[in-house]
Amino acid sequence: MTVRETILTTLHARLSALPTTALRGEVLPERVPAEGLLILRDGEPGEPEVTLSPLRYHYQHRAEIEAVIQGTARDAAFDALTASIGTNIAADRTLGGLCDWIEAEAPRPVDLPVEGAASLKAAVIPVVLHYSTADPLS
């Protein structure tokens, strides 16, 4: 597996440990579980900084976590869910040594009406993964 894929797989595994459903790269399902839903998007690695001798590519990869809550107490549930993501990331900012640093940015929540059902509260949470590799394709 490439460095990038290893990091994204590890991040997804960390999100899967939270008391909610965590998917990777999936479409939003028709029903949101009562405990909420997280969807990890691979995002963009961006242009790396390059150092020579030894050759290294230094990325600030921007992945995204879509957080979705549905129900009557969605404001409190959304707050608890985003706080748990922050706590999970802060517990190991290197993902076991795979990254130099990982940090989440503040979510920008929106309320989305759903015809015939409780509204959704959703946000995209950008996550910046700082890592280096010897080859941009490995």
Side-chain angles (χ1 to χ4, degrees):
M1 246 191 305
T2 64
V3 172
R4 176 184 59 256
E5 182 61 22
T6 302
I7 290 169
L8 291 169
T9 299
T10 302
L11 178 57
H12 179 253
R14 295 276 305 277
L15 294 173
S16 296
L18 295 173
T20 185
T21 301
L23 305 173
R24 180 167 172 212
E26 299 288 331
V27 297
L28 182 65
E30 288 185 27
R31 294 179 190 236
V32 174
E35 70 278 2
L37 177 68
L38 300 175
I39 303 174
L40 175 62
R41 305 282 179 204
D42 291 357
E44 295 288 326
E47 283 294 318
E49 289 187 30
V50 180
T51 56
L52 305 173
S53 191
L55 178 63
R56 300 293 292 172
Y57 297 86
H58 308 280
Y59 287 95
Q60 291 185 26
H61 185 130
R62 294 183 64 84
E64 295 179 335
I65 300 169
E66 293 178 11
V68 183
I69 292 287
Q70 187 172 24
T72 55
R74 67 185 180 279
D75 291 330
F78 183 81
D79 186 58
L81 179 59
T82 56
S84 69
I85 293 168
T87 301
N88 186 291
I89 288 173
D92 182 7
R93 296 247 183 220
T94 66
L95 292 178
L98 296 173
C99 286
D100 295 324
W101 191 255
I102 177 175
E103 61 186 313
E105 295 178 359
R108 289 181 292 263
V110 295
D111 290 311
L112 304 170
V114 177
E115 189 174 325
S119 295
L120 297 173
K121 185 161 192 150
V124 173
I125 303 168
V127 178
V128 182
L129 307 159
H130 299 262
Y131 62 90
S132 297
T133 182
D135 185 332
L137 297 178
S138 68

